[in-house]
Amino acid sequence: MEKVTLNVQGMSCDHCVKAVEGSVGALNGVGSVKVNLKAATVDVEYNQQKVSLDEIKETIDDQGYDVK
C-alpha cells in the first residue's frame, strides 16, 4: 500500500469531510482516507495496482475541492 498526503483547498466543514472521505473511500483500491480540516490535508492509503494517484486527485476535484 502506498501512503500519500494531499494538500486540498476549499474544505471547511463536516460536509466537506464526508464528501471527500466518502468519494475517495469508495474507490476500488483505497484502503483508508482521512481528512484534516485544520491542516487542509487528505491522507490516503491506496493500492497503486488498483487505483492511481491521478484518479484519487480527480475524485477530490470532482467534489469541488482544489488539490495542490
Side-chain angles (χ1 to χ4, degrees), residues 8 10-17 34-41:
V8 180
M11 301 182 301
S12 61
C13 63
D14 286 340
H15 171 76
C16 302
V17 172
K34 181 68 179 155
V35 171
N36 183 325
L37 280 179
K38 287 187 179 187
T41 60

Side-chain angles (χ1 to χ4, degrees), residues 31-65:
S32 67
V33 55
K34 181 68 179 155
V35 171
N36 183 325
L37 280 179
K38 287 187 179 187
T41 60
V42 178
D43 295 321
V44 183
E45 188 174 37
Y46 66 101
N47 181 337
Q48 63 188 28
Q49 304 297 323
K50 295 183 178 180
V51 65
S52 71
L53 183 55
D54 284 341
E55 287 176 277
I56 293 168
K57 289 179 177 179
E58 186 175 312
T59 299
I60 295 170
D61 188 61
D62 287 349
Q63 292 299 313
Y65 307 106

